[in-house]
Amino acid sequence: MKHILVPIGTSPDAHQTLQYAVDFASQFSSKIYVMEVYNVSAGAGTTLANVPQKLAESGKERLKEVIEKVDTKSIDIKIATYNGSIVDGLKDIDKELGIDLIIMAPRSNDVTEEVYLGNTSGKIIKQTDIPTLVVPKGSIFSPPKVILTAFKSGILKRNRILNPLLDIKKKFGSIINLLLVKTPGYSDDDLRINTALMDISSQITMTEAPTTYLGVLERFESQHPDMLCVFRRKRGFFKKLWEKNTISKSEFSARIPVLVLSVKKD
């Protein structure tokens, strides 16, 4: 896990997420890139034409201010700025550097307290294929002892999808508990669990529910996980995010970090 990227939004608590990322990265000797995105494309109106330029000029200074609030623990933190959309910026930086993990808060301060994933974080989850660790506001890093890994299909086309989960287990000795949620219309193939996933697990539970995340909610309290791991599929845990970029706390709320792994072309 060499390169970790932390998108910095407008939240006054951005340094808390960065501190979590630093504490996490220090365990792996990773480099951290903090990212500021601004958009100078047309659409803001001529009266606001100077605003994007000012944001671009002040972006690096603001990131430096955020970094100054953090105990960097000798971690190499680099600043990356991008003119355009957050998704395009992430994809370009990933292509250039190879990002192993994004660490971000579930929302910035531009949405209400009732929202779990905000517009920007929702886009990142929905539109990128980079593994992402969603860290609740105010979280203090501690090695995860139990990771609940939930899915509705045990099929994984590439074992390397599991690399972030494997890295975390290896580093911290985490226990991996699997939860296979049988949703309506499941096939026998869905019940075949990838051997690499089986090899790292300590416990396998099967349950039936209308959706994967409802299955997780039903089992969450009995499992007592320190981290939740789910897969980014077109029809998976965050299914409702394919219809919109925000998801409310009434639909899903977790007080623990959520590791989202990508399953491409599913």
Side-chain angles (χ1 to χ4, degrees):
M1 204 171 294
K2 296 180 179 179
H3 298 150
I4 294 174
L5 188 139
V6 183
I8 300 295
T10 57
S11 170
D13 303 315
H15 65 282
Q16 295 179 354
T17 304
L18 181 55
Q19 185 66 67
Y20 184 101
V22 166
D23 295 343
F24 181 92
S26 66
Q27 304 292 318
F28 296 92
S29 300
S30 309
K31 290 183 178 179
I32 287 183
Y33 293 83
V34 290
M35 183 178 180
E36 170 84 354
V37 172
Y38 57 93
N39 197 327
V40 296
S41 60
T46 55
T47 56
L48 298 178
N50 63 327
V51 174
Q53 183 179 353
K54 289 181 179 179
L55 290 174
E57 293 171 350
S58 64
K60 286 188 177 181
E61 291 303 316
R62 196 174 73 81
L63 290 180
K64 288 178 182 177
E65 291 176 0
V66 174
I67 293 171
E68 286 175 356
K69 296 179 181 179
V70 170
D71 176 5
T72 62
K73 298 184 176 180
S74 300
I75 289 291
D76 186 11
I77 300 179
K78 296 186 180 298
I79 292 175
T81 58
Y82 185 82
N83 173 18
S85 74
I86 181 70
V87 172
D88 288 342
L90 288 171
K91 289 179 179 179
D92 281 3
I93 291 177
D94 182 36
K95 187 181 297 183
E96 179 183 351
L97 301 172
I99 299 301
D100 298 300
L101 185 69
I102 295 171
I103 295 181
M104 66 176 189
R107 61 180 182 81
S108 63
N109 66 341
D110 60 344
V111 290
T112 65
E113 286 291 338
E114 288 72 32
V115 172
Y116 171 67
L117 282 180
N119 184 60
T120 298
S121 52
K123 285 181 179 178
I124 293 172
I125 290 292
K126 183 173 74 170
Q127 299 177 27
T128 75
D129 293 310
I130 306 169
T132 302
L133 184 61
V134 184
V135 180
K137 178 181 176 182
S139 295
I140 297 174
F141 172 76
S142 62
K145 296 178 181 178
V146 178
I147 302 175
L148 177 61
T149 302
F151 49 92
K152 68 178 228 175
S153 172
I155 299 172
L156 298 176
K157 295 180 180 179
R158 290 170 297 278
N159 288 346
R160 61 183 175 82
I161 289 166
L162 297 172
N163 284 351
L165 183 61
L166 289 169
D167 289 344
I168 291 172
K169 174 180 171 57
K170 182 178 179 181
K171 176 62 66 175
F172 305 119
S174 307
I175 294 172
I176 309 293
N177 290 337
L178 305 184
L179 177 63
L180 174 56
V181 183
K182 295 191 287 186
T183 58
Y186 73 88
S187 67
D188 289 339
D189 283 342
D190 291 333
L191 304 183
R192 297 175 184 174
I193 302 174
N194 177 276
T195 54
L197 192 54
M198 288 279 288
D199 288 344
I200 64 172
S201 65
S202 300
Q203 175 184 313
I204 301 172
T205 302
M206 288 192 184
T207 188
E208 294 192 34
T211 65
T212 309
Y213 88 66
L214 285 176
V216 169
L217 293 180
E218 291 173 1
R219 298 282 177 167
F220 201 79
E221 290 300 323
S222 62
Q223 293 277 352
H224 299 293
D226 304 295
M227 180 179 289
L228 174 65
C229 178
V230 296
F231 294 92
R232 181 192 283 113
R233 301 177 188 266
K234 287 183 178 179
R235 300 173 300 280
F237 185 81
F238 288 107
K239 179 179 178 181
K240 292 188 178 182
L241 289 180
W242 308 122
E243 302 166 2
K244 57 186 179 180
N245 287 332
T246 60
I247 187 166
S248 69
K249 286 184 178 178
S250 62
E251 294 172 277
F252 174 70
S253 180
R255 297 182 181 274
I256 61 174
V258 179
L259 178 64
V260 185
L261 302 180
S262 290
V263 179
K264 295 182 181 179
K265 298 179 181 178
D266 179 13

